[in-house]
Amino acid sequence: MPDEPAIEATGLEKSYGDVSVLGGVDLTVARGSVFSLLGPNGAGKTTTVRILSTLLPADAGTARVAGYDVRRERSQVRRSISLTGQDTAIDELQTGAENLRMMARLCRLPRRRAAARADELLERFDLVEAGSRRVGTYSGGMRRRLDLAASLIARPEVIFLDEPTTGLDPRSRQQVWEVVTGLTRDGVTIFLTTQYLEEADKLADRIAVVDGGRIVAEGTAAQLKAQVAGHRLDLVAVDALAFDELARRLGRRVAGSEPERLTLSVATDGQAGHVRALLDEVDPTRRAVHRFTVHGATLDDVFLTLTGHTTETTKETAGV
Amino acid sequence: MSDLALRPASLPGDSLVMLGRSVRLSIRNMDALFTALLLPIMLMLLFVYLFGGAIQTGTEYVTYVVPGVIVLCAGFGSSLTAVAVTQDMNGGIMDRFRSMDISAGAVLGGHVVASIARNLLSTVLVLAVGFLIGFRPEAGALDFLAAFGVLFLYVLAFSWVAAAVGVLTRSAEAANGFTFFVMFLPYPSSAFVPVETMPTWIHGFAENQPMTPIIESMRALLLGTPMGNSAWLAAAWCAGILVAAVATATFLFRRRIS
């Protein structure tokens, strides 16, 4: 069934007691593509991954992964997928090679083939030197790479990565991105959750923005960015009078306002021409704007635009 | 709805791989290994040379106390299973194992079998130290084998209890509390001093708790003391605890991971 999607979920619901975690999630992921579920902590990303990877039964809804029903054909699904969760799934007291050989044996490879597969993956993930050392001595980035290598042992069709780069330094994050990009060349399907717009943007063919257990937008990175303009222009007025004047001229385009700091935010594509034209339009006398800054759109901007509210983390950092 | 696809066909193979893992982890967990090996030696020297002089048991004290020290050390070693299991339950590896279609019983089973191997080692160590300081058992090969059989049942039962505790607890520190409990259970029994020397109010507990028949039957096998019904009582206790512990561990495991 080559035309069947790699993942197809309809109306997934899950609640714990009175707390609804997923309120009807629908998704379709084409074979061989990278799909990213983008959202803040508590949006329901991990719950979705756990349901799709057979670890958690949904309260309602159906899902098929790699052509099998996640509830009725659990073993078949498990043999077609791999899951890399937020917590590293390797033993610190075993060496990198031992971890991989163990996973290969658990995938029922005979001893010799298990060893060969382990060596092959160590080579591919640039861990040959480290392979004979205990994982306890590895850096965060190396652990993640080994964790990803372990997930590939059985050549899964569908790979679930739950926040693969959370907590990693920028260099390790870059390495993980390279690994994921490499995987797509093998034709596997990747389902990735992330809190970072940049990550989804860089890796995913399609992105679904999830908030409060619902998918609030879905599309390619370009389509989503078109909705949020991609950049934000912050204007600092010279005084309160100028602030009011700027606000009046911008009208409904104001995306954020902080009167006490005389700052107004407005969406832009970040192009010099657009910024220049905008400044000329709202400040024709060239006296009202004291300073301006351009920021890349953050997940918070996506959220503000798509859901009309900011994420929890924004509230904490907004006052800084 | 049960969340476990137990596939009996793969259980032995998976268990073997898991056993290899558990043994490697046991050997490399230096702190625990050091304690597990040092404990028998220290306890033996402590009881024989520091307390032994003051305790009258009718025989050489070293002869009396060796079965008690074996059981105390094996109890400690078995209870370490709780720590190993809880680390698996609360780390990322359990999700990986489950998403790999591995028989779930293999994960707990691997830890239990590793515990048995660990305790065999510590028992041999206790016997060796005992022998060095004057322990002279009067047992034939069959008696020895039977004594190891009793110990095996005891370790198996308590390792499964520890596995259940490990599934239940959320941190290694909490799991360690169980170690403490098992370490103290032999004291109010005939392990180190005859029950008759204890205050009367504790006789009821000391004579009827599982440690006493386990230790008494080992003493009977190793030293030729009267067996009475100790062997049956020990076997019944261990079998009862084993069945209850396996059922509880499996139930808790399924509930925890669904």
Side-chain angles (χ1 to χ4, degrees), chain A:
Chain A
M1 293 173 283
D3 294 337
E4 193 177 356
I7 303 172
E8 198 171 18
T10 322
L12 293 181
E13 288 177 27
K14 183 77 194 174
S15 23
Y16 291 99
D18 293 338
V19 186
S20 167
V21 186
L22 291 185
V25 165
D26 300 317
L27 325 147
T28 306
V29 179
R31 276 183 196 251
S33 70
V34 181
F35 184 91
S36 176
L37 204 55
L38 174 71
N41 277 330
K45 302 191 298 290
T46 298
T47 307
T48 307
V49 166
R50 289 178 73 81
I51 291 172
L52 294 176
S53 58
T54 75
L55 298 191
L56 191 68
D59 295 339
T62 57
R64 293 179 74 78
V65 172
Y68 301 107
D69 187 286
V70 292
R71 191 186 286 254
R72 286 193 308 271
E73 297 165 300
R74 191 164 39 204
S75 285
Q76 287 93 326
V77 172
R78 287 179 176 183
R79 269 175 250 155
S80 313
I81 65 164
S82 80
L83 167 67
T84 303
Q86 292 177 37
D87 298 322
T88 322
I90 39 184
D91 288 321
E92 301 232 325
L93 290 173
Q94 297 202 76
T95 68
E98 283 168 342
N99 268 292
L100 293 183
R101 283 202 296 265
M102 173 183 81
M103 291 299 177
R105 297 283 289 139
L106 291 172
C107 292
R108 321 244 154 74
L109 290 186
R111 197 173 292 274
R112 200 170 293 175
R113 272 187 51 213
R117 183 80 180 126
D119 289 344
E120 193 184 314
L121 285 164
L122 287 173
E123 172 109 40
R124 174 166 173 188
F125 285 83
D126 197 21
L127 290 166
V128 176
E129 301 271 309
S132 55
R133 289 211 323 262
R134 287 191 195 172
V135 173
T137 65
Y138 285 21
S139 68
M142 289 161 79
R143 279 168 207 233
R144 264 283 109 151
R145 262 147 57 210
L146 183 67
D147 204 13
L148 286 172
S151 76
L152 298 180
I153 295 270
R155 304 177 200 277
E157 278 176 61
V158 180
I159 297 174
F160 290 96
L161 303 173
D162 193 10
E163 300 199 15
T165 66
T166 297
L168 289 186
D169 59 81
R171 200 171 138 264
S172 305
R173 178 166 297 165
Q174 190 68 43
Q175 289 178 335
V176 170
W177 286 351
E178 281 164 21
V179 167
V180 174
T181 312
L183 290 177
T184 58
R185 279 183 232 120
D186 301 348
V188 298
T189 308
I190 296 173
F191 187 98
L192 165 100
T193 76
T194 182
Q195 303 187 40
Y196 310 113
L197 179 65
E198 189 193 359
E199 185 161 294
D201 188 4
K202 205 150 200 142
L203 301 175
D205 299 314
R206 286 186 78 78
I207 299 169
V209 180
V210 62
D211 178 47
R214 285 174 189 281
I215 288 176
V216 292
E218 203 204 311
T220 63
Q223 286 166 344
L224 287 178
K225 275 197 218 153
Q227 292 185 45
V228 297
H231 287 75
R232 193 179 80 229
L233 175 67
D234 284 349
L235 302 173
V236 183
V238 289
D239 54 31
L241 212 67
F243 178 85
D244 292 340
E245 177 66 14
L246 288 171
R248 193 180 56 76
R249 284 180 190 269
L250 284 167
R252 298 180 58 155
R253 282 176 293 175
V254 173
S257 162
E258 283 184 80
E260 63 277 15
R261 301 165 108 199
L262 303 176
T263 305
L264 286 165
S265 301
V266 55
T268 168
D269 59 8
Q271 305 273 340
H274 182 255
V275 173
R276 191 178 285 136
L278 201 88
L279 285 170
D280 284 342
E281 185 206 326
V282 298
D283 185 16
T285 58
R286 303 195 174 186
R287 269 180 300 200
V289 176
H290 175 50
R291 279 184 290 120
F292 74 87
T293 43
V294 179
H295 305 274
T298 62
L299 178 56
D300 298 328
D301 297 321
V302 177
F303 261 79
L304 198 62
T305 315
L306 291 173
T307 68
H309 70 85
T310 53
T311 61
E312 279 308 307
T313 36
T314 336
K315 280 178 200 149
E316 283 164 21
T317 52
V320 177

Side-chain angles (χ1 to χ4, degrees), chain B residues 18-191:
Chain B
M18 284 295 171
L19 170 63
R21 165 178 186 253
S22 299
V23 168
R24 271 199 296 278
L25 297 185
S26 292
I27 292 172
R28 290 177 191 177
N29 187 350
M30 281 312 289
D31 303 345
L33 186 72
F34 190 68
T35 316
L37 295 184
L38 202 65
L39 186 77
I41 302 172
M42 296 304 289
L43 278 176
M44 191 66 102
L45 299 178
L46 178 80
F47 276 106
V48 173
Y49 291 118
L50 297 185
F51 301 156
I55 302 173
Q56 300 305 318
T57 58
T59 54
E60 279 291 306
Y61 186 61
V62 61
T63 307
Y64 180 84
V65 84
V66 163
V69 175
I70 289 177
V71 167
L72 177 64
C73 291
F76 172 75
S78 309
S79 60
L80 288 179
T81 309
V83 181
V85 169
T86 213
Q87 277 166 349
D88 275 2
M89 294 303 295
N90 296 295
I93 206 152
M94 197 54 78
D95 281 347
R96 166 70 54 78
F97 284 153
R98 290 177 58 212
S99 71
M100 283 171 72
D101 198 30
I102 295 169
S103 52
V107 182
L108 294 181
H111 284 302
V112 169
V113 181
S115 164
I116 290 166
R118 231 175 19 233
N119 284 301
L120 186 70
L121 195 71
S122 95
T123 303
V124 169
L125 203 64
V126 175
L127 286 172
V129 175
F131 198 79
L132 280 178
I133 61 175
F135 174 64
R136 295 290 178 271
E138 296 159 21
L142 271 180
D143 295 328
F144 254 106
L145 216 59
F148 267 93
V150 173
L151 194 71
F152 171 80
L153 263 181
Y154 165 67
V155 168
L156 184 66
F158 273 78
S159 296
W160 271 106
V161 175
V165 172
V167 175
L168 203 60
T169 48
R170 305 266 161 172
S171 71
E173 287 77 16
N176 238 325
F178 177 67
T179 311
F180 206 65
F181 168 74
V182 175
M183 286 270 283
F184 272 87
L185 207 50
Y187 287 92
S189 84
S190 65

